[in-house]
Structure formats: structure tokens, C-alpha cells
Amino acid sequence: MSNPYTDMAKTELAFCIGTNMTECHPVAATFLKKAIARGAKLIVADPRRIRLAEMADLYLPLRVGSDVALLLGMAHVIAREGLVDQAFMAARTTGGAAFLEHVQQFTPEWAAEITGVPAQDIETAAIWYGSANAAAIYYTLGITEHICGVDNVQSLCNLALMTGNLGVEGGGINPMRGQNNIQGAGDAGAIPNSYAGFQPVDIPENQAKFEALYGRPLDSERGMTKVSALEQAGESIFAMLIDGENTLVSDPDRTHGEHALKSLDHLVVIDIFLTETAALAHVVLPATAWAETDGHFTNSERRIQRVRRAVTPPGEAKPDWWIVSALATRLGFAGFAYDSPKEVFNELCRVSPIYAGIDWGMAEKGEYQWPIPYKGHPGTPRLHEDEFINGRGIFRVINYRDPAEVVDAAYPVWLTTGRRLQTYHTRTQTGRAQGIEYFVPEEVLEVHPDNVAAWGLQDGGWATMRSRRGSIRIKVKATERSPRGTVFASFAFNETPVNILTGSGYDPITQTAELKVCPVRVEAYEEVAGPA
Amino acid sequence: MSTQPSINEIPLQNAGIQKTRSVCGYCGVGCSLDILTKDDRIIGIQPAMDGPSNKGALCVKGQFAYDYVHHPDRLTQPLVRRADGQLHPTTWDEALDVAAQGFQRAVDQHGRHAVYGIASGRTPSEANYAMQKFMRAGFGTNHIDNCSRA
Ligand code: SF4
């Protein structure tokens, strides 16, 4: 996030797109409620009439996968109504002229045609966003889990750049991260394109710096993404180390994922349970869980916070850093003789300019948000206040594209997937927490009541849902949260593996899976009498 | 403890309950909380009123979903797959040897780009740093990613 959570309460206008915030980030939603109580306006864009939509001053029920069209239409109106922040654009950005010319063709009527949102509501949204002093954008996986995920995010950046809503209190572009330490994983360099501290691997100075630090030649080429690596399993990738991730269940196109892992010559999984993925491994290494280990998490607002061991791990379970280091040492690799997480963290801080101002012991109370470029620097709660990290903010010319698969006669219904408040990803954790399982004992397919009747389904009855990749059986729940022609299911449950159906395409840049949109066909499930 | 316990902490201490300040392990909001433990088991969670991101708020997951930590299904020993095709409990020493040999074989046969690492967005940054260093400083490849790509 460009801005801290505490800024949420200070915004004049919050534009939430593709974020089921009340369910996925409930505590963040409480800050938003404070802003609303103070008189801030709320715009919600989401295909489903989620709880947040009920709180909104303006709700935009757009068709799944049509976000770019909506955002282009809004940019058109902002430009047409003279709501562009000319001074900000001149001083801080590049590419603005081409962008303003590009959006002239995308009238709200054009956007209404694609998104299904009335043109007048698109105009109102644009005028509210464009005229607020501090307008903030919030988004989550609803935006990034699309084939055009990068386009969606850049379209949001364009809106913020044209209105000068970056680097201001209560403004910014704020992705809400799903998992607790996704930000920290990137910070630490667990991404194919950058060393720790987001130092790109394809910049020669970085390569030289890390060759000196690690004492060996390194590649200047980016690594494969996880999606490519799974595709290459058994082709060019033969051995894999997977830490604490139930890859099989949480990936789209699950049949493919299982096949990929089985094609490896060697699979080592570090985890706390014998997950579906771990069950395929050649070696399973038992790790410590949350509350059993010391270290740091970085949250969505770039705040580095200390996590602490409160209980003894069971049996011979070990911290992940220890396991990886022990394995490295077995392979004869130098530089892994760590005695404590403190030594690992201090090395991370030493090699990362964004962490340079801290070390172990300085983030005990979560005082710092990176970048912290030197000792004595107070940290950076709000990004882009004076200048962008890479100089000027860049406008990008984006066009709308249809999702990888669109509905047709054979698969006439949009399936969209997501998660629910009480379940967490593939349920390896919450599925074993007694108090939580109680709330959602089994997965359901949310269908608009009119569709339930029209498709011959029964509320509470079983349905068969098919896509081009497979079919599953799932219970039907009639609800007006789903618009007509769109059904919703979450991907938390292995018993109802929704991900067998999804996975029709990937964003060409980040290779994020298209988990959110998939054409399906829904029919009543026919009980076939088995052999007596 | 260097600081004086406050009045409300004294009854907890008398009941043999310890408090450990930490951060919720479920989502990117990163709520601060206190883990309450007794006899080396978690017995409850309290929101941290001075938590920089949550100011005393917690959601249902952060508040209640911690039973899994003490669940009987937790892995307590390394496992290796033997000739019968099944996973069997073993020592750390053997497990690390088998794990290392498999990587060595892949590199010997197919080169250093034949190996891949997937780090976790749930484990601490220390685990992630070690994972990427394993792939880069160990094997000399940038074949490392984490689970953020769905
Ligand atoms: S308590 Fe809830 S909102 Fe806070 S970090 Fe945990 S899961 Fe996220």
C-alpha cells in the first residue's frame, strides 16, 4: 500500500474495487467505517452485491472481468469534466498527454455497454473521485487474479496520477495483501526478478554486488515464475523445494498442478501438516508454526513487525530458516552457518537498501515502515510524498481485452471465485481450528434466486457445474448477492475442488492465474442409481 | 520483563498465564496481539490496544483460529518415501541427506536451472530470505518464487 492503514480513516472518498474487504480484511474495513462516519463517500465496484456494497454511497455492479473498461470510462469523464490535476501531472508524471488523448474515445456509454453499469453511475463515480481532495483506491485479488491483472492495476495508477491522488494523506493506491507475509516474501527476495530489497537481478551493479556478497557467479537473467515452473515440471525442472504452501489445492486447474508435481524427479516439502501437496513429496520436513518461532512479518502497509515464539514446537519440528540452512549446508553451500533468526534478519537488512536503517531489535514494536534508507531515518509511512521511487509517475496506455474465456452457448454462466471470512486459503490451518469450521461446514454455490428457478435447481439441493476443464458437484444456495447469470464459489475446500474448473489463462506479465472468471454450465445433479 | 507489570497483568501472572506480544498470522493487515499461554499451550488471544496497524481490533480469524497449532495432525518428524512407495518417519539426519541427494542429482544431470524453490507468504521473512539465498547463492539460479501468484 502506498499509504498507512491509519490514513483510511482520513480519506474523503474511498473507491473500493474488487475487494471483499469486510470479509477478507475486516479490521481494515473498521477504519473505513470510521471515515464513513466522518462523512467520507464510498464507491464500491464489484460483480457481487457484497456486504461492502450495502455500505456504499454508489455501487457499480460490473460484469466480471470488465474492470479496465470501467476505469477507462472514468478516466474519460475526469478528463472531459476538467478534473485533471494539471500541476501534478506536469511536475511529477510522464506520458500524460498520450494518455489523455487515448481516453477521449472511451465514453461512459461505451463502458456501460461492456460493464453493464449505467453510464450515469460511471459519470458520478468519476466526478466524485476526480473532485475529492483526498481520494483513496483499495483493491485486492479481485483486481489482480485476472488475465489482465497488470492492466487493471495500471488503470488504477492512471486514475490516481491524473488526479494527483498519490503522496497525499488519505489518498493513494492501496492493494490489500491476502497472506500475512506476502509483502515480506517479496522484500526478502523470494521472487524471480529481484534480490532482497527489490534490487532487480538484471541490473549489472546488483549482480556484481550479490556475486561479491554470496561469493559465486550469479545469473543476470530473471528466473521462471512459479506458474512456468509447474508447466516445466519434468521438462526442464526436475527438483523442487516447496515451503509451507498447499500448491495443489490453491492453484487453479488443479488436475494440472497434481500432474506437474508428480512429474518431478524430486520434491521436498516443508510444512506443518501433511497437506495434499506434501503427500506427493519424496521428503517432508516438519516446520514450526506461527507462535512457535521468532522472526518478522511485513504487512500490507510495509510495516516490519516482530513475531515471537510463545510455545514449544511439537516433536522435532524446526523453524523454516533452520531447515533451509541445514539443507544448504548438506549440499556444501557456504554462508548458511546461521545460529539464530537474528543473524538471518541482520543479513537481510545489510543487503537491502530499503531495510538499511534497522536491524534485529529495532522493530520490536512495529515502529518502521520501509523504506528506511539509513540508521536514524524514521521510516516511510506514505510513499511518493515528494517524488516517486523511480523518478516520475508513468502513464500507460491500456486497452480493454475480453477475459481468456467468455460465456457461450455451451458454458453460458460466469463463475467467479474468492474466499470467505472464516476460511483461509486451503483450510490447512483454519480447517483444523474447531471454532472456525463451525461457521462454514461445507462449500456452496451462490446463485441468484431467479436463476435457481430457471435452471431447475433447488435452494439447498445439489448441482453439477461444468467448465471446459472438468465438473464438480456442489450445493446450491439461492442469494441476491449473486447477480443473474453469475455464480460464486470459494476455493477453500478440498472436498469441493472448485479449482478443477478454473485456470483458463494467465496474466502475460505476472502470470497470476485467472482464478476469478470462468465460464461454466450449471445443472441440477441427477442421482444415478448405483449397482445394488 | 524489564517493565513493571500493570495492574491488570498481575492476576494473569498469578494464574500462571503468560502473555507474548506477536502479530496475527492470517492476513496482510498484520494486527498486533498478545498470545496467552499456560503450561506451554495457547489458551487465548488478546488484541493489542497499542498495535500500530489495528489499534485494538481483531477479526474472528485472529481472535479464534489458533487451535491448529496444537492439532494432533501436526508433523513431528521428518518423512521419507521408501521402496514401498510410502512415506515413513525418519531422523533429520537421513531426511536432510535424501533431500540433498535429490537436488544434487538434478543439478548433475540437468544443470543448475533444473531446480526450483517456492517460498511461503505465511512464514517469516527470515525463512523467505533463506529460501532465495538457497536458490541464488547455493545453486546460482533465480528460480525462486512465492505463493502470491495465486
Ligand atoms: S486479526 Fe483478522 S484482520 Fe487482523 S491480521 Fe488477523 S486476519 Fe487480518
Side-chain angles (χ1 to χ4, degrees):
Chain A
M1 306 207 310
S2 64
N3 289 53
Y5 280 111
T6 48
D7 262 22
M8 292 183 82
K10 298 176 186 154
T11 192
E12 263 180 38
L13 178 121
F15 177 29
C16 297
I17 178 161
T19 173
N20 194 356
M21 200 191 291
T22 48
E23 288 206 17
C24 301
H25 304 274
V27 167
T30 61
F31 288 117
L32 199 58
K33 286 176 191 157
K34 273 190 200 151
I36 294 168
R38 274 192 28 256
K41 281 205 173 84
L42 173 65
I43 304 173
V44 173
D46 201 289
R48 303 168 59 222
R49 203 176 177 87
I50 50 176
R51 189 132 38 107
L52 199 62
E54 305 290 340
M55 293 160 51
D57 298 281
L58 180 61
Y59 168 51
L60 312 173
L62 78 175
R63 194 211 75 211
V64 286
S66 68
D67 308 71
V68 167
L70 172 73
L71 299 171
L72 282 170
M74 285 176 65
H76 172 98
V77 175
I78 289 169
R80 190 189 70 196
E81 298 293 318
L83 297 170
V84 168
D85 186 338
Q86 300 287 357
F88 183 89
M89 276 184 67
R92 308 268 315 264
T93 70
T94 62
F99 175 75
L100 292 180
E101 201 189 307
H102 176 65
V103 300
Q104 274 176 20
Q105 53 188 305
F106 303 114
T107 61
E109 290 72 27
W110 169 86
E113 188 78 12
I114 294 174
T115 59
V117 177
Q120 208 182 339
D121 289 349
I122 298 175
E123 285 189 356
T124 308
I127 291 167
W128 285 3
Y129 180 80
S131 35
N133 285 319
I137 292 171
Y138 299 97
Y139 69 91
T140 33
L141 293 174
I143 277 287
T144 53
E145 277 179 1
H146 277 301
I147 187 161
C148 49
V150 168
D151 287 355
N152 288 350
V153 173
Q154 284 177 348
S155 301
L156 292 171
C157 290
N158 288 341
L159 279 193
L161 286 173
M162 76 191 293
T163 53
N165 268 312
L166 283 168
V168 295
E169 193 176 83
I173 302 179
N174 304 287
M176 324 269 285
R177 302 298 202 145
Q179 287 166 337
N180 51 306
N181 199 34
I182 280 289
Q183 182 68 57
D187 295 0
I191 41 178
N193 55 348
S194 293
Y195 296 109
F198 301 100
Q199 302 172 78
V201 295
D202 46 12
I203 293 179
E205 296 87 82
N206 295 339
Q207 188 188 358
K209 171 181 170 180
F210 280 88
E211 285 184 340
L213 282 165
Y214 291 161
R216 65 158 297 145
L218 297 171
D219 268 345
S220 57
E221 241 171 82
R222 296 168 174 211
M224 270 181 214
T225 63
K226 173 185 137 182
V227 170
S228 303
L230 285 171
E231 272 165 18
Q232 284 296 312
E235 303 285 331
S236 71
I237 299 291
F238 294 92
M240 216 180 258
L241 175 62
I242 300 181
D243 188 4
E245 179 191 12
N246 203 355
T247 305
L248 195 56
V249 185
S250 61
D251 266 15
D253 205 352
R254 176 174 161 189
T255 327
H256 173 77
E258 183 170 338
H259 175 76
L261 294 179
K262 282 182 176 162
S263 316
L264 294 166
D265 289 349
H266 188 60
L267 173 63
V268 178
V269 172
I270 302 172
D271 214 320
I272 62 173
F273 291 114
L274 191 65
T275 59
E276 288 81 5
T277 305
L280 298 176
H282 299 93
V283 183
V284 182
L285 303 171
T288 51
W290 176 81
E292 294 170 354
T293 190
D294 286 302
H296 294 82
F297 291 158
T298 307
N299 76 356
S300 289
E301 53 174 356
R302 296 163 285 105
R303 186 186 299 282
I304 301 158
Q305 305 198 93
R306 182 83 151 74
V307 287
R308 291 183 183 81
R309 173 175 155 143
V311 290
T312 311
E316 297 173 34
K318 299 280 192 193
D320 304 74
W321 67 265
W322 183 95
I323 297 172
V324 176
S325 304
L327 183 56
T329 304
R330 262 325 137 104
L331 278 153
F333 300 156
F336 287 89
Y338 302 116
D339 281 330
S340 65
K342 175 178 174 179
E343 292 178 15
V344 183
F345 186 74
N346 285 345
E347 183 174 317
L348 162 63
C349 295
R350 219 166 35 242
V351 304
S352 315
I354 57 171
Y355 279 41
I358 57 163
D359 55 29
W360 187 277
M362 288 178 69
E364 296 293 303
K365 295 199 171 102
E367 298 92 326
Y368 291 97
Q369 286 167 270
W370 67 252
I372 318 139
Y374 50 85
K375 287 258 155 67
H377 187 284
T380 312
R382 213 166 280 118
L383 287 180
H384 319 304
E385 270 182 315
D386 301 314
E387 63 178 289
F388 294 105
I389 293 180
N390 303 318
R392 283 173 170 253
I394 301 166
F395 279 98
R396 302 215 188 261
V397 169
I398 309 262
N399 284 298
Y400 167 75
R401 290 180 285 158
D402 276 332
E405 281 179 23
V406 292
V407 289
D408 56 17
Y411 302 97
V413 178
W414 292 105
L415 163 68
T416 173
T417 67
R419 29 188 98 122
R420 294 176 195 284
L421 173 55
Q422 294 88 354
T423 60
Y424 180 76
H425 246 83
T426 57
R427 230 172 49 133
T428 48
Q429 287 174 20
T430 51
R432 288 173 171 90
Q434 296 306 324
I436 297 300
E437 199 160 25
Y438 176 73
F439 292 104
V440 187
E442 58 192 3
E443 195 42 70
V444 292
L445 186 69
E446 296 185 0
V447 185
H448 192 279
D450 291 355
N451 288 152
V452 169
W455 301 341
L457 308 174
Q458 301 240 302
D459 189 13
W462 290 96
T464 304
M465 177 161 62
R466 269 176 239 291
S467 80
R468 290 183 175 85
R469 276 160 300 280
S471 77
I472 63 165
R473 191 170 76 131
I474 190 166
K475 239 183 205 160
V476 173
K477 179 174 187 243
T479 167
E480 283 176 8
R481 271 159 62 110
S482 286
R484 291 175 192 83
T486 299
V487 296
F488 174 83
S490 94
F491 63 92
F493 286 77
N494 199 24
E495 289 85 344
T496 310
V498 171
N499 287 342
I500 281 181
L501 304 181
T502 56
S504 49
Y506 287 99
D507 185 297
I509 300 174
T510 64
Q511 299 206 330
T512 297
E514 182 119 81
L515 277 175
K516 287 274 157 185
V517 188
C518 172
V520 293
R521 176 177 198 87
V522 184
E523 290 157 337
Y525 174 78
E526 307 280 343
E527 200 79 48
V528 182
Chain B
M1 291 274 265
S2 55
T3 50
Q4 198 75 12
S6 76
I7 290 290
N8 357 351
E9 279 172 23
I10 289 169
L12 285 184
Q13 286 177 349
N14 289 348
I17 296 170
Q18 265 123 40
K19 262 204 225 188
T20 308
R21 174 60 54 92
S22 197
V23 175
C24 175
Y26 277 108
C27 92
V29 176
C31 295
S32 291
L33 45 76
D34 286 320
I35 306 170
L36 305 184
T37 53
K38 189 177 183 189
D39 301 329
D40 212 17
R41 290 185 74 86
I42 304 174
I43 55 162
I45 302 285
Q46 277 184 348
M49 301 316 288
D50 56 346
S53 303
N54 59 317
K55 312 267 188 247
L58 282 185
C59 79
V60 58
K61 282 182 291 189
Q63 184 79 64
F64 298 112
Y66 55 83
D67 295 5
Y68 75 92
V69 173
H70 299 305
H71 197 280
D73 288 353
R74 282 286 303 277
L75 291 169
T76 57
Q77 270 184 290
L79 308 172
V80 292
R81 197 170 296 282
R82 298 208 189 280
D84 63 358
Q86 304 299 310
L87 287 167
H88 294 275
T90 185
T91 60
W92 271 103
D93 196 43
E94 192 204 355
L96 288 171
D97 266 345
V98 177
Q101 282 157 13
F103 282 104
Q104 193 62 55
R105 223 173 16 248
V107 171
D108 291 346
Q109 287 173 5
H110 307 285
R112 66 185 201 281
H113 297 304
V115 293
Y116 201 86
I118 302 178
S120 167
R122 297 175 201 168
T123 58
S125 302
E126 287 79 358
N128 282 280
Y129 182 78
M131 274 290 280
Q132 66 86 35
K133 187 176 178 187
F134 179 64
M135 302 313 295
R136 293 198 166 103
F139 296 111
T141 175
N142 288 313
H143 281 352
I144 172 79
D145 207 344
N146 66 68
C147 45
S148 75
R149 286 152 219 275

